[in-house]
Every structure is written in structure tokens, then in C-alpha cells.
């Protein structure tokens, strides 16, 4: 199965009988499916069907949906004249002229420019046909959107798998230094205790127990094992495909927790540098995962 990004764009156009309908869809990452429609008010009747169409095709993301309509028919616009209103304007002009003792010179062109004398109205359109055109344009836009989201998703998968492999290599390098780190810690604790109790008889058995207790606190075997296990699960989910964004987000949180523990336990400069690199890689992966569906 494929893995899709939540970033994409698609545009669909449907033309019929001099009418042109276009639907554009832009998507970005979001925790859930969030749809925002921008369309002329006279097309609100098609919103519910459009919403269902998109929900059937897209699982997650914020989508801005733009619907545009052009009517290119010969009689797309109808102009109507209000003759009664024009007569009222003309009579009023005549009364003013008579009162002022001048001739009434109002022309037809001037009457046509008076408010509400001429009104324009778009030709009636068949809602069933318009709804069908919106659906066809939406389907084309969704195909393009899906193709772009799939391409983006494939690139993200490749990059994430590469970063996951880098984590495995880093953890293996840390594991090589881990025994030295524990031994260094034991030697350091033993030296400090001996210096502090130099004039006191030391119970060697008890000292060894205390050293072992504190040495266990810097042992990172459990953390590295869990981190490798999480990484294996992470790769498996990516390769299986599907809507894995939320599952990977949980795994990356667990990986981040283990890397933080490793960083807090380390007492070796080499391990410390590797732990910082580990945390940086995991953080980059976390940001990329936010864009997976």
C-alpha cells in the first residue's frame, strides 16, 4: 500500500453548453479532515454532495476547495428596463424644468443611467446540470490532488527510511562505547569513594555493591534495545503503507523518549555527541511525519 503526504493541489474543469465549472483543491497537514469551501452563494446547494465526494477520497488534512463558474452562453445575461420608473424620473425632471422656467432636456441615455432603471439578471441554469458539472470537475481535481500527494508521500518515505537507517547506525555506534562508559563510571565512583574515605577501613564487598548499583544507572542497554525495536516497527509501518501518520507519530515519540534517556545517562563525550546527533535526526523525522496522512 502507498503512503500519501497531506500536501497537494489539484484542479478540475468541466465545460458544457457554454458554461464552464472549475474546482480547485489545496491541501496541507491537519490532525483530522477539515474542509473549507469558497464558492458563489448560488452554488451552496451542491456543498453537501461535494463534501461527501471529498471525504470518500481523502482521509486527513486541511483542504481549501474553490468553486468557480463562468456562463459564456449567448443569452447568459438578460437586461430588463423598468419603464414605469423611467417615466417617474422623466416627470420629476419636467416638474423641475417648469419650476425653473427652462426646457426639460433629459435624454433616453440619461434616463438609462438613473438608478434601477436597467437591471441585469443571469440566465436561469439547471441546478441538476450544474451539480453534475461540479461533481465531474471535483473528481478531476481529486485525481490530480491524489497523484501529487502520492508523489510527495513516496519522497517522504524514502527520506524517512534513510533517516531510520542512520538512527540504527548511530545506536550501534553508541552500543560499542557503552561498556567503556560503564567501566569509566565504575572507576570514577571507586576513586571518589576511596579519596573520601581514605583514612577509613573500607568494606570491599559493600563498596563493590554500591559501585554496581550506581553503574547500573548509566547502563543504556535497555534504551538502545528498545530504540532499535521502535525503529524496526517504524520501518515496518512505513513499508506496509496506508494511513500510518498517527501510528508513526506515536512511535517517534517513544524513540524520542529513549534518546532523551540515553543523553541524560551518558558520561562519555563520544556517546554524548552521538546522542545529540540521534536526537536531531529523530526531531527531523517528527516534523516530516506531521505531513503524512
Amino acid at each position: 500500500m502507498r503512503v500519501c503526504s497531506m500536501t497537494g493541489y489539484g484542479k478540475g474543469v468541466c465545460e458544457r453548453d457554454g458554461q464552464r465549472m472549475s474546482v480547485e483543491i489545496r491541501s496541507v497537514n491537519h490532525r483530522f479532515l477539515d474542509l473549507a469551501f469558497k464558492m458563489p452563494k448560488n452554488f451552496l446547494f451542491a456543498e453537501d454532495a461535494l463534501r461527501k465526494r471529498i471525504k470518500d477520497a481523502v482521509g486527513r488534512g486541511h483542504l481549501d476547495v474553490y468553486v468557480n463558474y463562468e456562463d459564456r452562453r449567448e443569452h447568459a445575461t438578460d437586461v430588463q428596463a423598468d419603464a414605469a420608473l423611467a417615466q417617474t424620473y422623466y416627470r420629476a425632471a419636467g416638474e423641475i424644468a417648469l419650476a425653473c422656467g427652462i426646457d426639460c432636456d433629459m435624454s433616453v441615455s440619461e434616463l438609462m443611467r438613473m438608478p434601477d432603471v436597467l437591471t441585469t439578471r443571469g440566465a436561469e441554469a439547471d441546478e441538476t446540470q450544474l451539480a453534475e458539472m461540479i461533481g465531474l470537475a471535483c473528481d478531476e481535481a481529486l485525481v490530480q490532488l491524489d497523484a501529487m500527494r502520492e508523489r510527495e508521500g513516496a519522497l517522504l518515505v524514502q527520506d524517512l527510511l534513510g533517516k531510520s537507517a542512520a538512527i540504527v547506525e548511530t545506536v550501534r555506534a553508541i552500543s560499542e562505547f557503552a561498556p567503556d562508559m560503564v567501566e569509566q563510571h565504575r572507576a570514577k565512583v571507586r576513586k571518589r569513594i576511596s579519596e573520601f574515605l581514605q583514612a577509613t577501613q573500607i568494606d570491599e564487598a559493600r563498596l563493590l555493591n554500591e559501585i554496581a548499583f550506581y553503574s547500573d544507572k548509566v547502563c543504556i542497554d535497555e534504551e538502545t534495545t528498545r530504540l532499535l525495536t521502535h525503529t524496526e516497527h517504524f520501518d515496518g509501518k512505513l513499508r506496509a503503507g496506508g494511513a500510518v501518520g498517527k501510528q508513526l507519530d506515536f512511535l517517534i515519540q517513544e524513540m524520542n523518549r529513549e534518546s532523551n534517556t540515553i543523553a541524560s545517562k551518558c558520561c562519555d563525550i563520544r556517546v554524548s555527541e552521538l546522542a545529540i546527533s540521534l536526537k536531531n535526526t529523530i526531531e527531523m523525522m517528527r516534523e516530516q511525519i506531521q505531513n503524512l496522512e
Side-chain angles (χ1 to χ4, degrees), residues 25-231:
I25 305 176
R26 301 176 188 272
S27 69
V28 294
N29 61 310
H30 196 274
R31 291 180 63 194
F32 309 103
L33 180 62
D34 181 44
L35 303 179
F37 292 91
K38 298 174 177 62
M39 63 175 72
K41 289 184 178 179
N42 53 324
F43 289 108
L44 292 178
F45 68 89
E47 182 177 327
D48 288 342
L50 200 57
R51 185 181 296 274
K52 183 180 184 305
R53 220 179 195 100
I54 295 171
K55 280 185 176 180
D56 290 341
V58 180
R60 197 158 67 107
H62 171 81
L63 276 66
D64 288 311
V65 183
Y66 303 88
V67 177
N68 294 294
Y69 172 72
E70 294 179 48
D71 194 342
R72 301 173 179 176
R73 292 174 294 178
E74 290 184 7
H75 303 290
T77 303
D78 183 27
V79 180
Q80 294 183 336
D82 191 335
L85 182 59
Q87 290 175 356
T88 302
Y89 279 126
Y90 190 78
R91 283 197 300 269
E95 292 174 2
I96 293 172
L98 181 62
C100 296
I102 57 176
D103 294 333
C104 180
D105 59 354
M106 177 170 276
S107 64
V108 174
S109 60
E110 290 174 324
L111 277 173
M112 292 172 63
R113 289 195 293 270
M114 299 303 292
D116 300 325
V117 171
L118 294 181
T119 56
T120 58
R121 184 178 61 183
E124 293 294 330
D126 183 358
E127 282 193 0
T128 302
Q129 178 175 309
L130 291 178
E132 184 180 349
M133 291 175 67
I134 291 176
L136 292 172
C138 179
D139 288 344
E140 183 181 346
L142 286 171
V143 169
Q144 293 184 15
L145 176 72
D146 184 67
M148 184 172 180
R149 284 162 62 108
E150 184 175 1
R151 288 195 301 271
E152 293 286 335
L155 292 174
L156 281 173
V157 167
Q158 291 179 6
D159 191 67
L160 286 168
L161 287 174
K163 286 183 170 63
S164 178
I167 286 177
V168 172
E169 291 301 316
T170 304
V171 172
R172 287 174 178 168
I174 289 174
S175 297
E176 290 179 5
F177 295 125
D180 292 342
M181 187 173 71
V182 173
E183 190 56 42
Q184 288 172 17
H185 186 71
R186 285 175 179 168
K188 188 182 296 184
V189 171
R190 186 182 187 93
K191 182 181 178 182
R192 288 181 179 177
I193 293 176
S194 298
E195 289 175 351
F196 185 73
L197 301 174
Q198 53 185 323
T200 307
Q201 183 72 26
I202 300 175
D203 184 341
E204 190 67 22
R206 185 174 180 183
L207 175 60
L208 291 175
N209 285 335
E210 292 296 326
I211 290 175
F213 173 76
Y214 284 105
S215 296
D216 284 342
K217 289 191 173 182
V218 298
C219 181
I220 56 174
D221 291 348
E222 291 185 11
E223 287 76 12
T224 54
T225 300
R226 283 197 294 265
L227 187 49
L228 289 174
T229 301
H230 293 327
T231 305

